[in-house]
Amino acid sequence: MLIKNSTYEMMIDALGQEGEGIGRIDGFTIFVEGALPGDTIEVLIMKLKKSYGYGKLVNIIQPSEHRMAPACDAFTKCGGCSLQHLSYQKQLEYKTDKVANCIKRIAGINFDIQPTIGMDNPFRYRNKAQFPVGNSNNKPAIGFFAKHSHRIVQISDCKLQLAITSQITRIIENFILQFNLKPYDEENHTGLIRHVLIRSGFATNEIMVCIIINGKNLPHAAELIKDLQAVTGLTSIMLNFNRERTNVIMGSSTQCIYGKDVITDYIGDLRFEISALSFFQVNPVQTKILYDLVTEFAEFSKTDIVIDAYCGIGTISLFIANHVKKVYGIEIINAAIADANRNAALNNITNAEFICGESEKVIPNLLAEHISPDVIIVDPPRKGCDEKVLKSIIDCGVKKLVYVSCDAATLARDIAILKGGGFELGKVQPVDCFPMTWHVETIVLLQRQTI
């Protein structure tokens, strides 16, 4: 019997859903953060449940052959990455297995899965950085939260972000120090500077800097504008106002204090205007691959009517518009619909119509207007599709569904529901949009069973 706060030797043989090592001591399962399959480790038992427990990695007795030196010196402290210590090829294999196992276990389907599509360079891929601002060693600091806490870890150079973000954060840190501005204190709801958001246009090299503040204005803003003008590509400086006692990063109101209120970027040949509040895929290289696969899986024809549920700012809708007769994008957030319409006009696309509302209500309304979809696309948030949305898809008679997912477990749950509604699983393709982390995007084709 294992004893809490005692140390043991164990072998790690698998990775869990969030990249934690899994091994067994006398048949008892232990989860160990930072451990890898193939590691022999010394572990301190921290918590014991009825059938499993959690341990802390104390010492690596024999490292896995796939263990790598992390590229970032903050890897063990920062909560941003989870797999930098694992070779990239093994990361891809882990993500393939993760998707396959979730669908087999939760949806009860045996199927063939394609290997996860990776990146030639799995670093510097993010076009968006959100840095909390706080105190470190009694000084204002910009960084990321430590694992499982809201303690700031100062980051000199995040290897997932563009190198220019480090120049920007240093400028803002110096500005905060120079004018004795107070970082936000979550516990007491005091202080001014809450977060720094940086957006980058990969194709255009345009940069947006947004300062999120707990106040009505930013003192000495003119000095910050002058300092930031040293940044190559600086296009926009925004203030976002968030005075709520919340851990939500962005408030609903923004003000442009320099340049334009948007930056532009491209997915393929399509141009998009991106605001501080826009949702835009964070990995533009893999997004193009993702959307090409949506087109390939759907096998569109020029006569197709398509519904894009959870359409956001319309990126998928506009990407596929040239392949179909008509696409209807549905999104519950008004601002996203406004962005979608603006981007449709920007690209001279006239066969995409965007509707603000709940998909489970909009889809039946379209059917009542004799608009019957040939293909439905869903790209929901991590929690997956609302069950009412799935019911509306099942009830509408559509024969083909392309599901884009950022969470394998909720994808599998929804596949099970759709299977019960008459759909069968076709192609499954994971795409690594988030190297060095446990996250993975997956594209799935589901088709109505024919009797």
Side-chain angles (χ1 to χ4, degrees), residues 116 137 285 406:
T116 300
N137 298 321
V285 174
C406 61

Side-chain angles (χ1 to χ4, degrees), residues 148-306:
H148 313 305
S149 82
H150 274 201
R151 178 176 56 83
I152 295 288
V153 175
Q154 197 165 16
I155 307 293
S156 59
D157 180 22
C158 175
K159 302 300 190 228
L160 304 191
Q161 312 290 345
L162 296 182
I164 202 166
T165 61
S166 297
Q167 178 190 356
I168 294 168
T169 56
R170 283 194 298 270
I171 288 171
I172 297 172
E173 274 184 353
N174 290 335
F175 166 76
I176 293 170
L177 280 167
Q178 180 182 355
F179 293 103
N180 196 30
L181 301 178
K182 301 300 181 186
Y184 182 66
D185 182 316
E186 276 187 309
E187 189 173 334
N188 299 309
H189 192 49
T190 58
L192 180 66
I193 315 293
R194 297 179 72 132
H195 278 80
V196 174
L197 167 70
I198 302 169
R199 288 187 178 272
S200 309
F202 269 47
T204 61
N205 295 317
E206 295 182 356
I207 302 288
M208 172 186 286
V209 177
C210 181
I211 315 295
I212 296 93
I213 62 172
N214 175 40
K216 296 181 179 180
N217 60 74
L218 179 66
H220 309 286
E223 285 85 350
L224 178 61
I225 292 168
K226 182 180 178 182
D227 293 344
L228 286 173
Q229 284 176 314
V231 175
T232 302
L234 182 73
T235 304
S236 170
I237 303 176
M238 307 291 295
L239 289 182
N240 175 265
F241 305 96
N242 184 358
R243 302 175 68 192
E244 300 297 319
R245 194 163 193 156
T246 176
N247 58 7
V248 175
I249 293 173
M250 304 289 285
S252 59
S253 175
T254 57
Q255 175 189 350
C256 181
I257 60 173
Y258 172 82
K260 303 186 297 181
D261 62 358
V262 295
I263 60 170
T264 57
D265 205 2
Y266 286 81
I267 301 176
D269 296 328
L270 289 176
R271 184 184 177 196
F272 290 90
E273 290 187 343
I274 307 159
S275 71
L277 295 172
S278 292
F279 172 80
F280 195 72
Q281 291 278 4
V282 300
N283 186 333
V285 174
Q286 296 297 82
T287 296
K288 172 64 165 57
I289 291 171
L290 202 69
Y291 291 1
D292 281 339
L293 285 165
V294 170
T295 304
E296 177 188 321
F297 279 24
E299 296 182 314
F300 295 120
S301 76
K302 285 288 190 178
T303 60
D304 278 347
I305 305 297
V306 179

Side-chain angles (χ1 to χ4, degrees), residues 109 130 132 180 203 262 354 378 402:
I109 301 173
Q130 293 180 144
N180 196 30
V262 295
F354 295 100
V378 293
V402 180

Side-chain angles (χ1 to χ4, degrees), residues 381-418:
R382 190 161 290 132
K383 66 181 180 179
C385 290
D386 188 289
E387 196 164 350
K388 293 177 182 177
V389 174
L390 296 175
K391 185 178 186 305
S392 70
I393 292 170
I394 291 167
D395 291 346
C396 79
V398 69
K399 294 181 179 179
K400 197 181 298 183
L401 172 69
V402 180
Y403 194 133
V404 182
S405 168
C406 61
D407 186 277
T410 56
L411 168 66
R413 178 203 67 200
D414 291 351
I415 288 173
I417 294 170
L418 291 161

Side-chain angles (χ1 to χ4, degrees), residues 80-99:
C81 293
S82 52
L83 295 177
Q84 265 196 44
H85 57 328
L86 180 63
S87 71
Y88 188 51
Q89 181 56 41
K90 284 296 175 181
Q91 290 184 36
L92 298 178
E93 292 174 15
Y94 158 70
K95 294 181 183 190
T96 304
D97 291 343
K98 177 178 178 175
V99 174

